[in-house]
Structure formats: structure tokens, C-alpha cells
Amino acid sequence: MKYVIEGKMCSIPQPGAESLEQRIERLEARSDIMEILFHYTRCVDRGDAAGVASCYTEDGCFYPGDNMPGIQGKDRIFRLFTRLLEPSVQTCAHHICNQQLCFLSREEALVYACFRSCKTFSDGRPEENCWGGYELRVLREADGQWRIKSHKCFMNNQTGCETPRQREQLDRPWPPLPEYRL
């Protein structure tokens, strides 16, 4: 992950990648962490609330947007997505890009990614288009798997829905700090 110091782009220091073995472990972890995003979006697109919940730690937290309280706990996240992934969604497609990752330790990392999604509905509602970003804090758990501890979703713009959300990306901290209030 990059940031700017005195007008120059610099790499954010990332601990624990000095030896060749540690650097290879870091590359494998990076790939595993990116797979979380791909699994999450594929499950949302398929309407699979259990698959979405599987991405989170037991006490993980999902923040559906700025100025919205967090939903904490894998069970509560499952129930939320059971409601959000309604049967009237005919098609849904997420596209993820601009992924950035910063390791805080060998067991913890921050992730930033942009997304665009499009939904069509079988009940005649207009097509819904969203684009925005995700900020995640991920942890490697005791079983060796990476899972989401904190997930913030924010919108740059949203069309075709009753309560459009826009410009939530402005004035965001950098690097991203996905821990918010519950």
C-alpha cells in the first residue's frame, strides 16, 4: 500500500518480510486475502448468505455504510444478508478492482478495494447500479485461514434505488482504518 510523504509516493512499512521464506509466505497470504474479496462478492451475486457469513470471524463486524452502525457477529451478519439478498434479484454482478493491501503483522492486514455492482429485479424495479469501496481488516485465525474482522462498505454513487448514497468516499482516512462504532 502506498501513501504520500512530502509530495513523494512511498510504501507503507510492512513488518515481517525480511527473509526469502517470509517474503514467499507474504505472497501466499496476499493471494489468500484477495480470495476473501472474490468469495464474498461471488456469494453476494449468488444470493448465498451462508457463504457471505463464512468470510467473517465469529465476532466480525460489517458496516453497511458511513453513519450506519456495525452489525457484529457472524450469526447477525448471516441474518442481515438473508434479508438483503432478496429473492426478487434476478441478476447481480460485482466487479472488484484497485485492490491494495497492507500487512500490520504476519496475522493481520488492511485491505482496500473498489467495486462496481449491478442488479436487475424480477419484480419490475429499475436496474440498480452501485460503485464504491471496501475497507477491511483481516486476521489469520488459528486454523490458518484469513477471515474478515471488520468490513466497511462505502458508496461513491448508487442509482436506481429508493435511498441513493453518494460521495461517501470523500475525506476517508489513509491508510484505511476499517474500525468504526458499533
Side-chain angles (χ1 to χ4, degrees):
M1 196 172 277
K2 304 291 186 182
Y3 67 138
V4 177
I5 299 176
E6 297 177 6
K8 294 181 182 176
M9 180 184 66
C10 302
S11 294
I12 293 174
Q14 299 192 43
E18 292 78 29
S19 72
L20 180 58
E21 183 178 280
Q22 289 170 326
R23 290 168 54 197
I24 290 170
E25 179 184 315
R26 176 67 49 89
L27 288 171
E28 289 174 343
R30 181 180 183 81
S31 177
D32 290 344
I33 291 167
M34 289 301 121
E35 284 294 323
I36 296 170
L37 282 171
F38 306 143
H39 179 77
Y40 168 83
T41 57
R42 184 178 69 245
C43 290
V44 169
D45 291 347
R46 295 179 65 212
D48 179 2
V52 170
S54 75
C55 297
Y56 294 85
T57 62
E58 286 299 323
D59 64 344
C61 195
F62 174 74
Y63 298 88
D66 283 349
N67 303 314
M68 295 182 188
I71 310 301
Q72 187 164 24
K74 187 183 274 193
D75 292 339
R76 291 185 68 213
I77 292 168
F78 169 74
R79 288 194 302 273
L80 171 70
F81 277 90
T82 298
R83 288 192 317 273
L84 291 177
L85 303 175
E86 57 185 287
S88 64
V89 174
Q90 191 170 20
T91 62
C92 185
H94 276 80
H95 304 276
I96 303 295
C97 64
N98 298 353
Q99 301 97 327
Q100 293 181 300
L101 189 138
C102 177
F103 285 92
L104 302 176
S105 71
R106 291 179 66 206
E107 312 301 325
E108 185 176 11
L110 296 176
V111 180
Y112 173 86
C114 295
F115 75 89
R116 181 172 191 280
S117 70
C118 178
K119 289 184 199 173
T120 61
F121 300 92
S122 59
D123 62 8
R125 281 186 280 169
E127 185 176 279
E128 191 176 285
N129 292 284
C130 304
W131 47 100
Y134 297 134
E135 295 170 351
L136 298 93
R137 181 178 298 265
V138 297
L139 303 176
R140 185 182 349 227
E141 295 197 293
D143 66 358
Q145 297 296 308
W146 289 89
R147 292 189 183 89
I148 300 169
K149 171 70 172 170
S150 178
H151 177 184
K152 177 82 181 241
C153 176
F154 63 90
M155 299 294 179
N156 295 349
N157 205 344
Q158 185 174 17
T159 63
C161 66
E162 295 175 16
T163 56
R165 295 165 48 192
Q166 305 183 57
R167 303 176 58 86
E168 293 178 0
Q169 84 280 13
L170 298 176
D171 299 322
R172 303 199 74 72
W174 193 256
L177 300 171
E179 304 295 336
Y180 299 90
R181 71 181 190 285
L182 292 175

